[in-house]
Amino acid sequence: MDKKRLGELFRPYLMIAPAMAGICLFVLYPIIFLGYLSLYDYNLMNKAKSKFIGFENFAEIFSRGDFYKSLSNTVIYTAGVVVLTLLLSLVIAVWLSKKSKFNVFVQAGIFTPHVVSIVSIALVWLWMMEPNLGFLNYVLKALGLPPSQWLQSSESALMSVILVSVWQGIGYYVLIIVAALQSISPSIYEAAALDNASKLKVFWKITLPMISPQLFFILVIMTIGSFKVFDTVKVMTGGGPNNATNTLVYYIFENRTTNIGYASATGVVLMMIIALLTFVYFRLLSRRVHYQ
Amino acid sequence: MASIEFVRVTKSFDKQEVIKDLDLKIEDGKFTVLVGPSGCGKTTLLRMIAGLDPQTSGSVLINGKDVSRIAPGQRGVAMVFQNYAIYPTMSVRENIEFGLKNNKVGKAERTELVESISRAVGLYDYLDRKPSTLSGGQRQRVALARAMVKKPSVFLMDEPLSNLDAKLRVQMRIELIELHKKLGTTFVYVTHDQVEAMSMADTIVLMNKGVIQQEAPPDRMYRQPSNCFTAQFIGVPPMNIAELGANGVKYGFRPESANLSAEPGDELFSLRGRIATREMLGSETIYQVRSGSGAFMIKCREDLFAVDQEAYVGVPADKLNFFGPDERRIEARDSSYRDYLEALRGQRHG
Ligand SMILES: Nc1ncnc2c1ncn2[C@@H]1O[C@H](COP(=O)(O)OP(=O)(O)O)[C@@H](O)[C@H]1O
Ligand SMILES: [Mg+2]
């Protein structure tokens, strides 16, 4: 009898044990180890020479100009990608939300870049953005517009990286928003028509609030994702020219061999920033998001 | 205040005609109920009045004016949807206010209207709640208040009570009748439930497969059904209809028009049969009587018979209905009416 009770008590824990083991091994342990490393002047060659230095790594982070440069790059990149993607995917989704064969075709087309590896995409764009022979400048010239230096100038490099990221991600978000739009009951729009609502009013007062949970989800997911951008930067610019596209994760990557303790500390800072942002989003926007 | 008129209206969906050449006049200030089996085109008709799904051809007139080119929001109609179609992201107050805001009604007037209407339908304490926190009945009232607050000249309702439980439905039925009395505006009410139609309507419009079967006040619809379909759609249990056995003519009588007795009576129509089933409903009992010419449902005040007992069904002459081979009613003034009565008398006890 007692044995049976005990079994029942432990069974749920037993059931989730494999998943928990995975989480501990692949999520909790790395995070704890990251925190541990960030407190050391760690020597990768000779572990014995590693030294506990407390918060010195953090003090160094906040005193170095290149950290602030990559932080501001990351913030600009994130803001650019999030705002552009949200606006564009919303516009495209509203345009595609009517179910028709043509729209399904267009939607599939927009979604395709999402299936392709970002490395391939970055390489293709790298080629198109070549200032002298690239396709983009060819088009600009053909239209009589001044050509751009794209990735080669510190002025336009970050903008170019943003452009590629938006282009790659937009199809996925269009898909989410289209699904959200199509789930709105048509009778609500009919009620609005009978209430003499203008098109603009219907969009602001009905459509937008109805899809706000999905928009909020996209906002959070994209902010987190964009803060961690790495692959596009690595392939297209390597952080250059002149650190113009150096982002936080790339900055960590650059410091990985020379100063792993410092890189870890930067990782901890990045984690804090993302946690803080997410928290702020939830606090500020939760009243504007209408979960039904 | 407004009358509604359909003139040779046809409506098709994807080349399939749902309603064809329909003519109908709905009187100003009346409570008109569109009733018919599911899929017969009631909702389609209602949506054409609202302008949500305009007719394919023909014209719809409101107050004598062709509204084919007028947007739904400017026709002066309000609609209560079957699923209520409340804006889920707005509070009750915003739901009710939305139409007023779009019509540029001033803030002070708006607030007053919303408060008086919400008080009238019992939603005053819920004005700042979200619809998701309301019960089915309360949501129904939000939909109603949203329609009322615009002071429309036509109220359209599409099965507004079908999502409520039986008790609430009966209560709302009475409230709607009272509301109509108070407002005096034109109500067009769609239902598939003939009891609802009978209890609420000034005029019933009975439809089947996109065709109007009969247009009459409830009592006439019940007593003088213009064809077999009407006779069998209205009334529980429906009218008993059987072949007369001559020229494809049918005769029929209401379950409560027949007398059931142990001895043959002296009514014009009399028939011997056996009680097949008995349903005791409290105030009345419904028997199914089987005989050579078919099965008949008989409704009695008293509960005198048992299953398998033999009994005589008697129907007086003035309670009998006759329908021609085209299923249309044969009126008493018709010359052949007497012959059919005599033919039926000849079949006594058959
Ligand atoms: N949007 C639509 N597309 C195609 N067919 C429709 C549409 N709306 C209604 N119908 C068809 O029209 C007929 C009448 O429908 P409806 O007016 O909704 O019937 P009800 O009397 O039950 O309200 C049905 O056969 C239905 O299948
Ligand atoms: Mg319907």
Side-chain angles (χ1 to χ4, degrees), chain B residues 42-43 82 158-159:
Chain B
K42 310 175 298 280
T43 300
Q82 183 169 6
D158 191 358
E159 313 215 8

Side-chain angles (χ1 to χ4, degrees), chain B residues 167-208:
Chain B
K167 218 169 194 172
L168 199 53
R169 203 177 313 159
V170 174
Q171 184 194 335
M172 283 306 294
R173 219 149 73 187
I174 295 165
E175 285 184 26
L176 284 178
I177 296 171
E178 279 171 358
L179 180 68
H180 175 250
K181 250 198 211 124
K182 205 169 77 192
L183 300 176
T185 47
T186 313
F187 274 45
V188 184
Y189 185 102
V190 162
T191 179
H192 64 265
D193 179 0
Q194 56 96 18
V195 177
E196 234 168 66
M198 292 291 285
S199 68
M200 299 170 87
D202 290 326
T203 308
I204 296 179
V205 177
L206 177 61
M207 294 177 65
N208 188 32

Side-chain angles (χ1 to χ4, degrees), chain B residues 11-14 16-19 34-47 53 82 158-159 190-192 207 210:
Chain B
K11 173 76 191 173
S12 12
F13 290 109
D14 319 314
Q16 195 195 348
E17 277 179 348
V18 172
I19 287 169
L34 299 177
V35 67
S38 254
C40 72
K42 310 175 298 280
T43 300
T44 309
L45 210 61
L46 203 67
R47 292 166 60 86
D53 253 334
Q82 183 169 6
D158 191 358
E159 313 215 8
V190 162
T191 179
H192 64 265
M207 294 177 65

Side-chain angles (χ1 to χ4, degrees), chain A residues 187 190-197, chain B residues 47 73 83 87-88 102-103 150:
Chain A
S187 62
E190 289 168 356
L194 281 166
D195 270 345
N196 205 13
Chain B
R47 292 166 60 86
N83 62 359
Y87 312 123
N102 294 328
N103 289 332
K150 290 187 286 183

Side-chain angles (χ1 to χ4, degrees), chain A residues 118-191:
Chain A
I118 183 74
V119 176
S120 321
I121 285 170
L123 283 172
V124 170
W125 279 90
L126 197 61
W127 184 40
M128 291 206 295
M129 284 173 166
E130 209 283 322
N132 299 316
L133 306 163
F135 177 72
L136 293 185
N137 273 355
Y138 171 78
V139 171
L140 285 181
K141 272 186 217 151
L143 292 173
L145 294 168
S148 167
Q149 285 299 303
W150 300 112
L151 295 164
Q152 316 243 330
S153 144
S154 54
E155 242 126 70
S156 57
L158 192 58
M159 183 267 293
S160 307
V161 177
I162 291 174
L163 184 74
V164 175
S165 300
V166 170
W167 183 81
Q168 199 245 352
I170 207 159
Y172 178 67
Y173 300 110
V174 166
L175 197 72
I176 293 179
I177 299 177
V178 165
L181 287 172
Q182 285 176 349
S183 71
I184 302 175
S185 154
S187 62
I188 288 182
Y189 288 119
E190 289 168 356

Side-chain angles (χ1 to χ4, degrees), chain B residues 85-135:
Chain B
I86 296 170
Y87 312 123
T89 57
M90 299 185 197
S91 68
V92 172
R93 179 193 300 277
E94 290 168 317
N95 259 284
I96 302 174
E97 229 178 13
F98 193 60
L100 296 177
K101 272 190 180 162
N102 294 328
N103 289 332
K104 309 265 182 312
V105 176
K107 180 146 202 275
E109 194 188 343
R110 223 162 55 206
T111 313
E112 199 191 308
L113 270 173
V114 170
E115 289 188 355
S116 72
I117 296 276
S118 63
R119 223 170 285 216
V121 298
L123 279 175
Y124 187 73
D125 296 328
Y126 301 92
L127 277 177
D128 295 311
R129 290 250 213 126
K130 277 284 166 62
S132 56
T133 66
L134 299 180
S135 72

